[in-house]
C-alpha cells in the first residue's frame, strides 16, 4: 500500500489559535480606521438576519460580530474533527458575505483549510482499513461525510471503483444472504456503545452470538451480522460483511468493507465482483 500518500497535515489547535488571533487583529484594525455609522439591522424590518445588501441588491459583508461567531463555530467543529458540520457552517457563511472583500478572503482561507483537513481525514480512514479496523474507519468517515450525498476525492477514491455517491444503496437482492462466520473466529463487536473483542459462538446471516469477556464475567451478546468485525478480516470475509451492510441499509459501511477487500488483495470471488459491478452504477 505504499502508493497511498500521507495526506495533508491535520489542522492543529495552535494553527487554529493563530488564525483566530490574526483574524481578531485585522478586524480591530478595520474598526479603528472605519468611521462609518453602523448599518440598520434587517431585524427592524422583520427580515431574517442574513447578508446585507447594497443599493444595487448585491450582498455586502455581514455584521462583524456575527461573522466572528460563525468562524468560531467552524473552528470548534474542526477541532472536534466534525468536518461535515464545519463544512455546513462555512457554506452558510459563504452565502452571506460579499463577493469581494476581507470577509470573502477569510472564507476562502477556511475553505482551503477544510479541503486539506478532508484529505488528511480520508488518509486516516484508509490507514484504519489497512489495519483491519473497519468499524473505526466508519466512525471517522461519518464525521467527515455527514448526512446525505458524499463522494470521496482523495485516498478513498484510489481504493477502487466503489461508486460516486457513497450514500446510495445498490440493489443486492440477487446476491442472496451473507455467508456466516466460522465458529471461534476472533472478532470485535459493537455492543453497549463500545467496540469489544471476543469470539464468535454461533452465526446466521442476520444474528451473531459472540462471547465477550467483561470485568463481571463472560457475556454472550447477540448482535446484528453487520455489527461484527472479524479481526484482520480476509477479502472473502470483507465481501460477506459488505453484503450484510448493504442489506442493513448502511451503504458507506458496505463500501468500506469492499475497500478492505480490495486492500487485502485476496480473492473476492463472483459475489465480490457482482457487488463492484452494482456499485459502478451509483
Amino acid at each position: 500500500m505504499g502508493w497511498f500518500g500521507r495526506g495533508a497535515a491535520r489542522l492543529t489547535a495552535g494553527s487554529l489559535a493563530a488564525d483566530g488571533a490574526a483574524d481578531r487583529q485585522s478586524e480591530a484594525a478595520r474598526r479603528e480606521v472605519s468611521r462609518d455609522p453602523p448599518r440598520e439591522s434587517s431585524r427592524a424590518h422583520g427580515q431574517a438576519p442574513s447578508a446585507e445588501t447594497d443599493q444595487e441588491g448585491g450582498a455586502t459583508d455581514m455584521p462583524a460580530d456575527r461573522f466572528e461567531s460563525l468562524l468560531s463555530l467552524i473552528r470548534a467543529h474542526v477541532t472536534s474533527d466534525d468536518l461535515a458540520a464545519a463544512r455546513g457552517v462555512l457554506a452558510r457563511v459563504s452565502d452571506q458575505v460579499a463577493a469581494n472583500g476581507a470577509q470573502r478572503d477569510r472564507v476562502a482561507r477556511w475553505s482551503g483549510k477544510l479541503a486539506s483537513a478532508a484529505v488528511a481525514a480520508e488518509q486516516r480512514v484508509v490507514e484504519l482499513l489497512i489495519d483491519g479496523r473497519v468499524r473505526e474507519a466508519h466512525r471517522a468517515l461519518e464525521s467527515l461525510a455527514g448526512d446525505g450525498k458524499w463522494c470521496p476525492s482523495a485516498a478513498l477514491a484510489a481504493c477502487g471503483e466503489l461508486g460516486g455517491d457513497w450514500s446510495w444503496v445498490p440493489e443486492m437482492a440477487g446476491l442472496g444472504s451473507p455467508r456466516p462466520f466460522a465458529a471461534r473466529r476472533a472478532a470485535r463487536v459493537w455492543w453497549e456503545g463500545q467496540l469489544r473483542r471476543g469470539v464468535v459462538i454461533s452465526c446466521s446471516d442476520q444474528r451473531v452470538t459472540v462471547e465477550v469477556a467483561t470485568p463481571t464475567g463472560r457475556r454472550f451478546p447477540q448482535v446484528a451480522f453487520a455489527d461484527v468485525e472479524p479481526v484482520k478480516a480476509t477479502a472473502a470475509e470483507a465481501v460477506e460483511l459488505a453484503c450484510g451492510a448493504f442489506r442493513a441499509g448502511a451503504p458507506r459501511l458496505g463500501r468500506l468493507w469492499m475497500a478492505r477487500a480490495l486492500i487485502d488483495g485476496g480473492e473476492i470471488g463472483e459475489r465480490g465482483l457482482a457487488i463492484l459491478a452494482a456499485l459502478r452504477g451509483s
Side-chain angles (χ1 to χ4, degrees), residues 51-60:
E52 298 179 5
T53 58
D54 60 21
Q55 292 182 351
E56 280 92 25
T60 63

Side-chain angles (χ1 to χ4, degrees), residues 224-235:
F225 184 90
D227 287 338
V228 178
E229 175 185 278
V231 175
K232 296 291 185 181
T234 65

Side-chain angles (χ1 to χ4, degrees), residues 11-31:
L11 297 180
T12 65
S15 66
L16 295 174
D19 177 81
D23 290 344
R24 288 191 294 273
Q25 290 173 0
S26 62
E27 183 62 37
R30 288 195 299 274
R31 289 180 177 178

Side-chain angles (χ1 to χ4, degrees):
M1 296 302 298
W3 37 273
F4 281 110
R6 292 299 303 171
R10 296 174 66 85
L11 297 180
T12 65
S15 66
L16 295 174
D19 177 81
D23 290 344
R24 288 191 294 273
Q25 290 173 0
S26 62
E27 183 62 37
R30 288 195 299 274
R31 289 180 177 178
E32 181 66 24
V33 300
S34 174
R35 300 303 180 188
D36 293 336
R39 298 175 183 269
E40 183 180 7
S41 171
S42 60
R43 286 184 181 272
H45 302 283
Q47 299 172 356
S50 59
E52 298 179 5
T53 58
D54 60 21
Q55 292 182 351
E56 280 92 25
T60 63
D61 283 350
M62 71 170 68
D65 56 348
R66 173 171 172 77
F67 183 72
E68 297 299 337
S69 176
L70 290 173
L71 287 193
S72 295
L73 183 58
I74 293 171
R75 192 176 294 112
H77 285 318
V78 173
T79 301
S80 62
D81 289 330
D82 194 347
L83 299 184
R87 191 168 58 245
V89 177
L90 184 65
R92 287 166 47 200
V93 175
S94 182
D95 288 342
Q96 297 182 48
V97 300
N100 299 292
Q103 288 188 356
R104 174 60 62 182
D105 290 343
R106 292 173 65 191
V107 167
R109 290 210 314 269
W110 270 106
S111 180
K113 290 178 182 180
L114 288 184
S116 296
V119 169
E122 280 197 38
Q123 179 62 36
R124 175 57 179 161
V125 170
V126 171
E127 290 169 356
L128 290 168
L129 292 178
I130 293 171
D131 199 37
R133 295 152 63 187
V134 179
R135 297 296 310 202
E136 292 180 56
H138 184 241
R139 294 183 68 187
L141 181 60
E142 292 300 285
S143 295
L144 168 63
D147 298 326
K149 182 177 180 179
W150 181 81
C151 305
S153 59
L156 282 172
C159 286
E161 297 182 24
L162 301 175
D165 178 8
W166 279 39
S167 67
W168 179 75
V169 180
E171 177 57 53
M172 294 284 113
L175 290 179
S177 301
R179 295 164 184 164
F181 307 118
R184 308 308 300 178
R185 176 68 165 96
R188 289 181 287 265
V189 57
W190 188 255
W191 179 57
E192 292 187 344
Q194 296 183 35
L195 197 60
R196 302 170 183 263
R197 180 149 180 171
V199 293
V200 173
I201 299 301
S202 63
C203 181
S204 71
D205 63 335
Q206 295 184 338
R207 305 293 292 177
V208 182
T209 301
V210 181
E211 180 182 353
V212 176
T214 72
T216 58
R218 295 189 177 278
R219 303 282 296 277
F220 297 87
Q222 285 191 340
V223 299
F225 184 90
D227 287 338
V228 178
E229 175 185 278
V231 175
K232 296 291 185 181
T234 65
E237 289 173 327
V239 167
E240 300 307 321
L241 282 156
C243 181
F246 288 126
R247 283 165 54 95
R252 290 175 184 158
L253 179 59
R255 284 171 171 82
L256 288 177
W257 277 118
M258 284 307 302
R260 168 62 192 176
L262 296 174
I263 287 171
D264 178 77
E267 178 61 47
I268 64 173
E270 292 184 2
R271 287 164 66 80
L273 293 174
I275 291 177
L276 291 179
L279 290 177
R280 291 189 190 106
S282 62

